[in-house]
């Protein structure tokens, strides 16, 4: 028994080191390269090596010498924040509507519809979305991307999985007390789904932060493109630092709501 | 009672309206016009669009690649994360470790693409391996986390009973645990499918709009043909892709349904 637990202890250690290394090495490598000086200096002594391999040059280039970076940064935010807020609103409303009542056929059919639609890759939906948006005359504006993203069916299905875990007796009890549906949604369902909403914010923002396809097709104005499109064309003089700076807000968000989110993933 | 149901529908309404306006109606519209000679004014052409699409080499390449890479990548990912969750024991340290590794999924694509760019020649010589690497890097942590926590929720009495009867850890896994995990594996399949199609972003960042043949996928085909504005042909391609996806998922959903264990 003892030798058994020792071997299992060894394999656990091995898995942790391998998987941990696998995830961390790329981040570490890019972080290390982001400190390389954008100029190639000739390294002759220790001071020279320090200057070559530990410089803030790339960060200086990004933060102070590339105005386009900041224009695109704000472009990304202008798309992300409204889309995220609308997603939360529509997805929680729909999730509450789907699970507050009895399980009927209509409800099951609606859930199935959301699942099927969320299977479709967005590239296939580009044509249908484009048709709808041009019929509404929205092509070229930021609103086009915001609207298409905020009705994303995947997040409704996702919030439904979260909302389903709230015991329905709570809703029943509140109804007995005479609370209206809107009141139940606001003061019971929303607080109960809180950590689920944080997970939604994390997944949704990470996804919107990376947006490439929809802006390219629906906005069609380079001055309104988000940051990912811009970062593609960046060379090594600032590219590594650019990726790190770009990753920081997401890492920060992960630190802020990672605990709530992980708790929620475990229940999914 | 009826009143409550009406209110529930009111809650669903905003989302359903958006879904109808941006997804359902346009999807149906595209489906109809996939059998038309021109887009916008219906002129029936039968299966012409479908046949011309099948004749196109680019579409066949994209369709084949997508099918092979999707099944292959997801199989490797699920096998890897099952192994990880099998070896790691149920403890707080494990869950914290897996939560940290799942952060990779939330990191922007530009980061991992930068790393892939460091490896000399990898992106040109072995694009499929690079994509596999990126796919595993992003999703191994979160898949293992979901599987591990599903295992944690299993009734501990089952394991004890099996141990008393002399079953080893492996035997218990293959005869009981795997059937408990089956519904979660199916959920992960759906989840990983949506993630797989998002590889387009990494592809765009690495190669622009024209990746090498090995990783030329249906997403690229759609995106590139969008420029040509041949929407009726794209619509027929979309119809084929949608039907394939639904069929694959129905198959996965039905697989082993009778032996699933749910608590």
């Amino acid at each position: 028994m003892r030798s058994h637990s020792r071997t299992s202890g060894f394999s656990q250690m091995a898995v942790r080191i391998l998987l941990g290394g696998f995830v961390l090495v790329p981040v570490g490598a890019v972080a290390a390269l982001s400190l390389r000086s954008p100029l190639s200096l000739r390294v002759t002594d220790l001071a020279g090596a320090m200057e070559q391999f530990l410089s803030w040059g790339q960060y200086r280039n990004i933060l102070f010498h590339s105005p386009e970076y900041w224009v695109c940064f704000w472009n990304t935010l202008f798309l992300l924040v409204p889309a995220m807020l609308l997603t939360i609103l529509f997805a929680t409303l729909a999730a509450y509507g789907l699970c507050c009542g009895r399980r009927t056929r209509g409800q099951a059919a609606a859930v199935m519809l959301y699942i099927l639609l969320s299977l479709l890759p967005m590239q296939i939906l580009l044509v249908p979305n484009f048709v709808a948006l041009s019929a509404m005359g929205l092509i070229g504006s930021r609103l086009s991307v915001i609207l298409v993203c905020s009705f994303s069916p995947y997040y409704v299905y996702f919030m439904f999985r979260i909302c389903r875990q709230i015991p329905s007796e709570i809703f029943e009890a509140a109804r007995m007390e005479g609370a209206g549906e809107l009141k139940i949604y606001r003061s019971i369902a929303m607080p109960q789904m809180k950590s689920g909403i944080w997970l939604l914010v994390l997944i949704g923002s990470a996804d919107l932060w990376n947006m490439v396809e929809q802006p390219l097709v629906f906005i069609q104005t380079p001055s309104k493109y988000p940051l990912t499109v811009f970062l593609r064309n960046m060379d090594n003089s600032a590219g590594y630092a650019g990726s790190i700076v770009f990753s920081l807000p997401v890492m920060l968000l992960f630190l802020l709501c990672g605990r709530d989110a992980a708790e929620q993933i475990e229940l999914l | 009672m009826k009143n409550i149901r009406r209110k529930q529908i009111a809650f669903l309404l905003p989302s359903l309206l958006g879904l109808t306006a941006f997804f359902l109606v346009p999807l149906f519209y595209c489906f109809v016009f996939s059998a038309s000679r021109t887009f916008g004014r219906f002129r029936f052409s039968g299966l012409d669009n479908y046949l011309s699409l099948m004749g196109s080499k680019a579409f066949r390449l994209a369709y084949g690649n997508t099918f092979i890479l999707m099944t292959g990548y997801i199989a490797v990912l699920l096998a890897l994360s099952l192994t990880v969750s099998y070896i790691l024991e149920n403890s707080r340290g494990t869950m914290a470790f897996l939560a940290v590794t799942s952060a990779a999924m939330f990191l922007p694509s530009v980061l991992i693409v930068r790393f892939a760019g460091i490896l000399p020649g990898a992106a040109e010589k072995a694009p499929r391996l690079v994509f596999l690497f990126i796919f595993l890097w992003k999703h191994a942590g979160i898949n293992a986390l979901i599987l591990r926590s599903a295992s944690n929720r299993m009734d501990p009495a089952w394991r004890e009973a099996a141990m008393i009867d002399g079953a080893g850890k492996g035997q218990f896994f293959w005869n009981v645990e795997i059937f408990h995990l089956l519904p979660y594996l199916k959920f992960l399949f759906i989840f990983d499918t949506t993630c797989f199609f998002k590889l387009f972003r990494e592809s765009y960042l690495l190669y622009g709009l024209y990746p090498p043949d090995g990783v030329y996928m249906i997403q690229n085909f759609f995106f590139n043909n969008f420029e040509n504005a041949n929407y009726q042909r794209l619509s027929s391609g979309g119809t084929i892709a949608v039907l394939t996806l639904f069929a694959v998922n129905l198959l996965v959903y039905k697989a082993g349904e009778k032996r699933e264990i749910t608590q």
Side-chain angles (χ1 to χ4, degrees), chain A residues 12 16 22-23 33 100-101 114 118 121 123-124 128-129 154 207 210 213 217 232 234 236 243 246 250 266, chain B residues 8 15 22 26 89 94 97 106 109-110 114 118 133 137 153 191 194 197 200-201 204-205 219 226 241:
Chain A
Q12 291 216 21
R16 285 194 191 186
F22 178 59
V23 170
L33 283 171
C100 65
Y114 281 110
S118 60
Q123 292 83 12
I124 288 183
N129 285 342
Y154 178 70
D207 193 36
N210 271 321
E213 304 89 336
V217 171
R232 169 178 151 65
M234 230 172 179
N236 285 350
S243 330
F246 186 59
V250 188
E266 286 172 29
Chain B
Q8 285 160 0
S15 165
F22 289 104
E89 67 185 5
T94 296
F97 168 74
F106 306 112
S109 311
V110 282
R114 274 283 156 195
I118 297 173
F133 175 81
W137 183 80
R153 256 174 290 158
F191 177 70
T194 58
F197 285 110
F200 178 83
R201 288 163 179 185
Y204 174 77
L205 288 170
Q219 303 98 295
F226 197 82

Side-chain angles (χ1 to χ4, degrees), chain A residues 55-76:
Chain A
S55 99
W56 294 108
Q58 286 190 38
Y59 287 94
R60 225 174 289 133
N61 279 348
I62 274 288
L63 297 175
F64 304 115
H65 301 299
S66 58
E68 299 109 310
Y69 183 91
W70 290 106
V71 172
C72 293
F73 177 84
W74 288 113
N75 283 344
T76 300

Side-chain angles (χ1 to χ4, degrees), chain B residues 3-14:
Chain B
N3 202 8
I4 289 179
R5 182 179 293 171
R6 203 169 295 152
K7 279 180 187 160
Q8 285 160 0
I9 293 176
F11 276 100
L12 262 174
L13 212 57

Side-chain angles (χ1 to χ4, degrees), chain B residues 241-262:
Chain B
V242 167
L243 291 180
T244 318
L245 267 175
F246 285 175
V248 169
N249 276 280
L250 200 70
L251 226 68
V252 169
Y253 216 74
K254 288 280 170 206
E257 205 174 30
K258 288 202 181 113
R259 295 197 66 186
E260 265 176 30
I261 308 173
T262 42

Side-chain angles (χ1 to χ4, degrees), chain B residues 213-253:
Chain B
D213 280 359
V215 289
Y216 183 79
M217 286 190 272
I218 204 121
Q219 303 98 295
N220 303 103
F221 178 82
F222 274 97
F223 204 87
N224 295 349
N225 276 278
F226 197 82
E227 312 276 291
N228 308 341
N230 190 346
Y231 297 137
Q232 65 272 27
R233 197 168 135 192
L234 277 183
S235 301
S236 52
T239 310
I240 295 177
V242 167
L243 291 180
T244 318
L245 267 175
F246 285 175
V248 169
N249 276 280
L250 200 70
L251 226 68
V252 169
Y253 216 74

Side-chain angles (χ1 to χ4, degrees), chain A residues 163-238:
Chain A
C163 187
R164 202 171 50 172
Q165 292 157 13
I166 307 172
S168 57
E169 290 83 18
I170 303 182
F171 299 145
E172 287 301 328
R175 245 168 246 148
M176 294 292 222
E177 301 286 330
E181 295 294 316
L182 210 58
K183 171 104 180 135
I184 299 178
Y185 161 77
R186 232 184 16 229
S187 1
I188 298 178
M190 285 298 264
Q192 289 278 330
M193 291 193 282
K194 203 185 99 207
S195 46
I197 294 173
W198 278 118
L199 183 57
L200 177 76
V201 169
L202 191 59
I203 294 181
S205 317
D207 193 36
L208 291 167
W209 198 241
N210 271 321
M211 221 171 350
V212 172
E213 304 89 336
Q214 292 107 327
L216 279 180
V217 171
F218 300 150
I219 295 188
Q220 301 178 340
T221 324
S223 64
K224 287 186 193 165
Y225 280 163
L227 202 44
T228 308
V229 179
F230 171 73
L231 277 174
R232 169 178 151 65
N233 305 318
M234 230 172 179
D235 57 5
N236 285 350
S237 71

